[in-house]
Coordinates of all heavy atoms in Angstrom, one line a residue:
M1 N -59.0 24.2 -14.3 CA -58.4 24.5 -15.5 C -57.0 25.0 -15.3 O -56.8 25.9 -14.5 CB -59.3 25.5 -16.3 CG -58.8 25.9 -17.6 SD -60.0 27.0 -18.3 CE -59.7 26.5 -20.0
E2 N -56.0 24.5 -16.0 CA -54.6 24.9 -15.9 C -54.4 26.2 -16.8 O -54.9 26.2 -17.9 CB -53.7 23.8 -16.4 CG -52.3 24.1 -16.1 CD -51.4 22.9 -16.3 OE1 -51.8 21.7 -16.1 OE2 -50.2 23.1 -16.8
F3 N -53.7 27.1 -16.2 CA -53.3 28.3 -16.9 C -52.1 28.1 -17.9 O -51.1 27.5 -17.4 CB -52.9 29.4 -15.8 CG -52.5 30.7 -16.5 CD1 -53.4 31.6 -17.1 CD2 -51.2 31.1 -16.6 CE1 -53.0 32.8 -17.6 CE2 -50.8 32.2 -17.1 CZ -51.7 33.1 -17.7
E4 N -52.2 28.5 -19.0 CA -51.2 28.3 -20.1 C -50.6 29.8 -20.3 O -51.3 30.7 -20.8 CB -51.8 27.8 -21.4 CG -50.8 27.6 -22.4 CD -49.8 26.4 -22.0 OE1 -50.4 25.4 -21.4 OE2 -48.6 26.4 -22.4
P5 N -49.3 29.9 -19.9 CA -48.7 31.3 -20.0 C -48.5 31.7 -21.6 O -48.3 30.8 -22.4 CB -47.3 31.1 -19.4 CG -47.0 29.7 -19.4 CD -48.4 28.9 -19.3
K6 N -48.6 32.9 -21.8 CA -48.5 33.4 -23.1 C -47.0 34.0 -23.2 O -46.5 34.8 -22.4 CB -49.4 34.6 -23.3 CG -49.3 35.3 -24.6 CD -50.2 36.5 -24.7 CE -50.0 37.3 -26.0 NZ -50.8 38.4 -26.1
K7 N -46.3 33.5 -24.3 CA -44.9 34.0 -24.5 C -45.0 35.4 -25.0 O -45.8 35.8 -25.8 CB -44.3 33.2 -25.7 CG -42.9 33.5 -25.8 CD -42.2 32.5 -26.8 CE -40.7 32.7 -26.8 NZ -39.9 31.8 -27.6
R8 N -44.1 36.2 -24.3 CA -44.0 37.7 -24.6 C -42.8 38.0 -25.5 O -41.8 38.4 -25.0 CB -44.0 38.4 -23.3 CG -45.2 38.4 -22.5 CD -46.4 39.2 -23.2 NE -46.0 40.5 -23.4 CZ -46.1 41.5 -22.7 NH1 -46.7 41.4 -21.5 NH2 -45.7 42.7 -23.1
N9 N -42.9 37.7 -26.8 CA -41.8 38.0 -27.7 C -41.4 39.5 -27.8 O -40.3 39.8 -28.1 CB -42.1 37.5 -29.1 CG -42.2 35.9 -29.2 OD1 -41.4 35.3 -28.5 ND2 -43.1 35.4 -29.9
D10 N -42.3 40.3 -27.5 CA -42.1 41.8 -27.5 C -41.0 42.2 -26.5 O -40.5 43.2 -26.5 CB -43.4 42.6 -27.4 CG -44.1 42.3 -26.1 OD1 -44.3 41.1 -25.7 OD2 -44.6 43.3 -25.4
L11 N -41.0 41.4 -25.4 CA -39.9 41.7 -24.3 C -38.6 41.1 -24.5 O -37.6 41.7 -23.9 CB -40.6 41.3 -23.0 CG -41.9 41.9 -22.5 CD1 -42.3 41.3 -21.2 CD2 -41.6 43.4 -22.3
I12 N -38.5 40.1 -25.3 CA -37.2 39.5 -25.6 C -36.2 40.4 -26.3 O -36.6 41.1 -27.3 CB -37.5 38.2 -26.3 CG1 -38.2 37.2 -25.5 CG2 -36.0 37.5 -26.7 CD1 -38.7 35.9 -26.2
G13 N -35.0 40.6 -25.6 CA -34.1 41.4 -26.3 C -34.0 42.8 -25.6 O -33.2 43.6 -25.8
Q14 N -35.1 43.2 -24.9 CA -35.1 44.5 -24.2 C -34.0 44.4 -23.0 O -33.6 43.4 -22.5 CB -36.4 44.7 -23.5 CG -37.6 44.8 -24.5 CD -37.5 46.1 -25.3 OE1 -37.2 47.1 -24.8 NE2 -37.9 45.9 -26.5
T15 N -33.5 45.6 -22.8 CA -32.5 45.8 -21.7 C -33.0 46.7 -20.7 O -33.9 47.6 -20.8 CB -31.2 46.3 -22.3 OG1 -31.4 47.6 -22.9 CG2 -30.6 45.4 -23.4
G16 N -32.4 46.7 -19.5 CA -32.8 47.6 -18.4 C -31.8 47.5 -17.3 O -30.6 47.0 -17.5
V17 N -32.1 48.0 -16.1 CA -31.3 48.1 -15.0 C -32.0 47.5 -13.8 O -33.1 47.8 -13.6 CB -30.9 49.6 -14.7 CG1 -30.1 49.7 -13.4 CG2 -30.1 50.1 -15.9
I18 N -31.3 46.7 -13.0 CA -31.8 46.1 -11.8 C -31.1 46.8 -10.6 O -29.9 46.9 -10.6 CB -31.6 44.6 -11.6 CG1 -32.4 43.9 -12.7 CG2 -31.9 44.1 -10.3 CD1 -32.2 42.4 -12.7
T19 N -31.9 47.3 -9.6 CA -31.3 48.0 -8.6 C -31.4 47.2 -7.4 O -32.4 46.6 -7.0 CB -32.1 49.4 -8.3 OG1 -32.2 50.2 -9.4 CG2 -31.4 50.1 -7.1
R20 N -30.1 46.9 -6.8 CA -30.1 46.1 -5.5 C -29.1 46.8 -4.6 O -28.2 47.4 -5.0 CB -29.4 44.7 -5.9 CG -30.3 43.8 -6.7 CD -29.7 42.5 -6.9 NE -30.4 41.8 -7.8 CZ -30.0 40.6 -8.4 NH1 -28.8 40.1 -8.1 NH2 -30.8 40.0 -9.3
S21 N -29.4 46.6 -3.3 CA -28.4 47.1 -2.3 C -27.3 46.1 -2.2 O -27.5 44.9 -2.5 CB -29.0 47.4 -1.0 OG -29.6 46.2 -0.5
F22 N -26.1 46.6 -1.9 CA -24.9 45.7 -1.8 C -23.9 46.2 -0.8 O -24.0 47.4 -0.4 CB -24.2 45.5 -3.1 CG -23.7 46.9 -3.7 CD1 -22.5 47.3 -3.4 CD2 -24.5 47.7 -4.5 CE1 -21.9 48.5 -3.8 CE2 -24.0 48.8 -5.0 CZ -22.7 49.4 -4.6
K23 N -23.0 45.3 -0.4 CA -21.9 45.7 0.5 C -20.6 45.3 -0.2 O -20.5 44.1 -0.7 CB -22.1 45.0 1.9 CG -21.0 45.4 2.8 CD -21.3 44.7 4.1 CE -20.2 45.1 5.2 NZ -20.5 44.4 6.5
I24 N -19.6 46.2 -0.3 CA -18.3 45.8 -0.8 C -17.6 44.9 0.2 O -17.5 45.4 1.5 CB -17.5 47.0 -1.2 CG1 -18.2 47.7 -2.3 CG2 -16.1 46.6 -1.6 CD1 -17.6 49.0 -2.7
I25 N -17.2 43.8 -0.2 CA -16.5 42.9 0.8 C -15.0 42.6 0.5 O -14.3 42.1 1.3 CB -17.2 41.5 0.9 CG1 -17.4 40.8 -0.5 CG2 -18.6 41.6 1.5 CD1 -18.0 39.4 -0.5
E26 N -14.6 43.2 -0.7 CA -13.2 43.0 -1.1 C -13.0 44.0 -2.2 O -13.9 44.3 -3.0 CB -12.8 41.6 -1.6 CG -11.3 41.4 -1.7 CD -10.9 40.0 -1.9 OE1 -11.8 39.1 -1.8 OE2 -9.8 39.8 -2.2
A27 N -11.8 44.6 -2.3 CA -11.5 45.6 -3.4 C -10.0 45.4 -3.7 O -9.2 45.4 -2.8 CB -11.8 47.0 -2.9
L28 N -9.8 45.5 -5.0 CA -8.4 45.3 -5.6 C -8.2 46.4 -6.6 O -9.0 46.6 -7.5 CB -8.2 44.0 -6.2 CG -8.3 42.8 -5.3 CD1 -8.2 41.5 -6.1 CD2 -7.2 42.8 -4.2
E29 N -7.1 47.1 -6.5 CA -6.8 48.2 -7.5 C -5.8 47.7 -8.5 O -4.7 47.1 -8.2 CB -6.2 49.5 -6.8 CG -6.0 50.6 -7.8 CD -5.7 51.9 -7.2 OE1 -5.6 52.0 -5.9 OE2 -5.6 52.9 -7.9
Y30 N -6.1 47.8 -9.8 CA -5.2 47.5 -10.9 C -4.9 48.8 -11.7 O -5.6 49.8 -11.6 CB -5.9 46.6 -11.9 CG -6.3 45.2 -11.2 CD1 -7.6 45.0 -10.6 CD2 -5.3 44.2 -11.2 CE1 -7.8 43.8 -10.1 CE2 -5.6 43.0 -10.7 CZ -6.8 42.8 -10.1 OH -7.1 41.5 -9.5
P31 N -3.9 48.7 -12.5 CA -3.6 50.0 -13.4 C -4.8 50.5 -14.2 O -5.0 51.7 -14.4 CB -2.5 49.5 -14.3 CG -1.8 48.4 -13.5 CD -2.9 47.7 -12.8
A32 N -5.7 49.5 -14.6 CA -6.9 49.9 -15.4 C -8.1 50.3 -14.6 O -9.0 50.8 -15.1 CB -7.2 48.7 -16.3
G33 N -8.0 50.1 -13.3 CA -9.2 50.5 -12.4 C -9.3 49.7 -11.2 O -8.4 48.9 -10.8
V34 N -10.4 49.7 -10.5 CA -10.6 49.1 -9.2 C -11.7 48.0 -9.4 O -12.8 48.3 -9.9 CB -11.1 50.0 -8.1 CG1 -11.3 49.3 -6.8 CG2 -10.0 51.1 -7.9
S35 N -11.4 46.8 -9.1 CA -12.4 45.7 -9.0 C -12.9 45.4 -7.6 O -12.0 45.5 -6.7 CB -11.8 44.4 -9.5 OG -11.5 44.5 -10.9
V36 N -14.1 45.3 -7.4 CA -14.7 45.1 -6.1 C -15.6 43.8 -6.1 O -16.2 43.5 -7.1 CB -15.6 46.3 -5.7 CG1 -14.7 47.5 -5.4 CG2 -16.6 46.6 -6.6
R37 N -15.5 43.1 -5.0 CA -16.3 41.9 -4.8 C -17.4 42.4 -3.9 O -17.3 43.0 -2.8 CB -15.6 40.8 -4.2 CG -16.5 39.5 -4.0 CD -15.5 38.3 -3.7 NE -16.3 37.1 -3.5 CZ -16.8 36.4 -4.5 NH1 -16.6 36.7 -5.7 NH2 -17.5 35.3 -4.2
V38 N -18.7 42.1 -4.3 CA -19.8 42.7 -3.6 C -20.8 41.5 -3.1 O -20.7 40.4 -3.8 CB -20.7 43.7 -4.4 CG1 -19.9 44.9 -4.8 CG2 -21.3 43.0 -5.6
A39 N -21.4 41.7 -2.1 CA -22.5 40.8 -1.6 C -23.8 41.6 -1.8 O -23.9 42.7 -1.1 CB -22.3 40.3 -0.2
D40 N -24.7 41.1 -2.6 CA -25.9 41.9 -2.8 C -27.1 41.5 -1.9 O -27.0 40.5 -1.2 CB -26.2 42.0 -4.3 CG -26.8 40.6 -4.9 OD1 -27.2 39.8 -4.1 OD2 -26.8 40.5 -6.1
S41 N -28.2 42.2 -2.1 CA -29.4 41.9 -1.2 C -30.1 40.6 -1.6 O -31.0 40.2 -0.9 CB -30.3 43.1 -1.4 OG -30.7 43.3 -2.7
M42 N -29.7 40.0 -2.7 CA -30.3 38.7 -3.0 C -29.4 37.6 -2.6 O -29.6 36.4 -2.9 CB -30.4 38.6 -4.6 CG -31.3 39.7 -5.2 SD -33.0 39.6 -4.7 CE -33.5 38.2 -5.5
G43 N -28.4 37.9 -1.8 CA -27.4 36.9 -1.3 C -26.3 36.4 -2.2 O -25.6 35.4 -2.0
E44 N -26.2 37.0 -3.3 CA -25.2 36.7 -4.3 C -23.9 37.5 -4.1 O -24.0 38.6 -3.6 CB -25.7 37.1 -5.8 CG -26.9 36.3 -6.2 CD -26.8 34.9 -6.4 OE1 -25.6 34.5 -6.9 OE2 -27.6 34.1 -6.0
E45 N -22.7 36.9 -4.3 CA -21.4 37.5 -4.3 C -20.8 37.4 -5.6 O -20.8 36.4 -6.3 CB -20.6 36.8 -3.2 CG -21.1 37.0 -1.8 CD -20.1 36.4 -0.8 OE1 -19.0 36.0 -1.2 OE2 -20.5 36.4 0.4
Y46 N -20.2 38.6 -6.1 CA -19.6 38.6 -7.4 C -18.7 39.8 -7.5 O -18.7 40.7 -6.7 CB -20.7 38.6 -8.6 CG -21.7 39.7 -8.3 CD1 -21.5 41.0 -8.9 CD2 -22.9 39.5 -7.6 CE1 -22.4 42.0 -8.7 CE2 -23.7 40.5 -7.5 CZ -23.6 41.8 -8.1 OH -24.5 42.8 -7.9
W47 N -17.7 39.7 -8.5 CA -16.8 40.8 -8.8 C -17.4 41.7 -9.8 O -18.1 41.3 -10.8 CB -15.5 40.2 -9.4 CG -14.6 39.6 -8.2 CD1 -14.6 38.3 -7.9 CD2 -13.7 40.3 -7.4 NE1 -13.7 38.1 -6.9 CE2 -13.1 39.4 -6.5 CE3 -13.4 41.6 -7.2 CZ2 -12.2 39.6 -5.6 CZ3 -12.4 41.9 -6.3 CH2 -11.8 40.9 -5.5
T48 N -17.1 43.0 -9.7 CA -17.6 44.0 -10.7 C -16.6 45.1 -10.7 O -15.7 45.2 -9.8 CB -19.0 44.5 -10.5 OG1 -19.4 45.2 -11.6 CG2 -19.2 45.2 -9.2
D49 N -16.6 46.0 -11.6 CA -15.8 47.2 -11.6 C -16.5 48.3 -10.7 O -17.7 48.4 -10.8 CB -15.6 47.7 -13.1 CG -14.8 46.8 -13.9 OD1 -14.0 46.0 -13.4 OD2 -15.1 46.8 -15.1
L50 N -15.6 49.0 -10.0 CA -16.1 50.0 -9.1 C -16.9 51.1 -10.0 O -17.9 51.6 -9.5 CB -15.0 50.7 -8.4 CG -15.3 51.8 -7.4 CD1 -16.2 51.3 -6.4 CD2 -14.1 52.5 -6.9
E51 N -16.4 51.4 -11.2 CA -17.1 52.4 -12.1 C -18.6 51.9 -12.4 O -19.4 52.8 -12.9 CB -16.3 52.7 -13.3 CG -16.1 51.4 -14.2 CD -15.2 51.8 -15.4 OE1 -14.2 52.5 -15.2 OE2 -15.4 51.2 -16.4
D52 N -18.9 50.7 -12.3 CA -20.2 50.2 -12.6 C -21.2 50.3 -11.5 O -22.4 50.0 -11.6 CB -20.2 48.7 -13.0 CG -19.4 48.5 -14.4 OD1 -19.4 49.5 -15.1 OD2 -18.9 47.4 -14.6
L53 N -20.7 50.8 -10.3 CA -21.5 50.9 -9.1 C -21.8 52.3 -8.7 O -21.1 53.2 -9.1 CB -20.8 50.3 -7.8 CG -20.4 48.8 -8.0 CD1 -19.6 48.4 -6.8 CD2 -21.6 47.9 -8.2
E54 N -22.9 52.5 -8.1 CA -23.3 53.9 -7.6 C -23.3 53.7 -6.1 O -24.1 53.1 -5.5 CB -24.6 54.3 -8.0 CG -25.0 55.7 -7.6 CD -26.4 56.1 -8.1 OE1 -26.7 55.8 -9.3 OE2 -27.1 56.9 -7.4
L55 N -22.2 54.4 -5.4 CA -22.1 54.2 -3.9 C -22.9 55.4 -3.3 O -23.0 56.4 -3.7 CB -20.6 54.4 -3.6 CG -19.7 53.3 -4.1 CD1 -18.2 53.6 -3.7 CD2 -20.1 52.0 -3.6
Q56 N -23.4 55.0 -2.1 CA -24.2 55.9 -1.2 C -23.2 56.9 -0.5 O -22.0 56.5 -0.2 CB -25.0 55.3 -0.3 CG -26.1 54.4 -0.8 CD -26.9 53.7 0.2 OE1 -26.4 53.5 1.3 NE2 -28.1 53.3 -0.1
K57 N -23.6 58.1 -0.3 CA -22.7 59.0 0.4 C -23.2 59.3 1.7 O -24.3 59.3 2.0 CB -22.5 60.3 -0.5 CG -21.9 59.9 -1.8 CD -21.2 61.1 -2.5 CE -20.8 60.6 -3.8 NZ -19.8 61.1 -4.5

């Protein structure tokens, strides 16, 4: 018997936060702030604002 998934309309539109480890591989400073290119734990590389990251100390 094949399993038929149930659509979860109650979850659609919800927001949250995904936590991934990352390494900064490039950084550029502009008058409006710092942009960083990161490589994350899922193998993705992308640009984001430094203010959107939480760096380990």
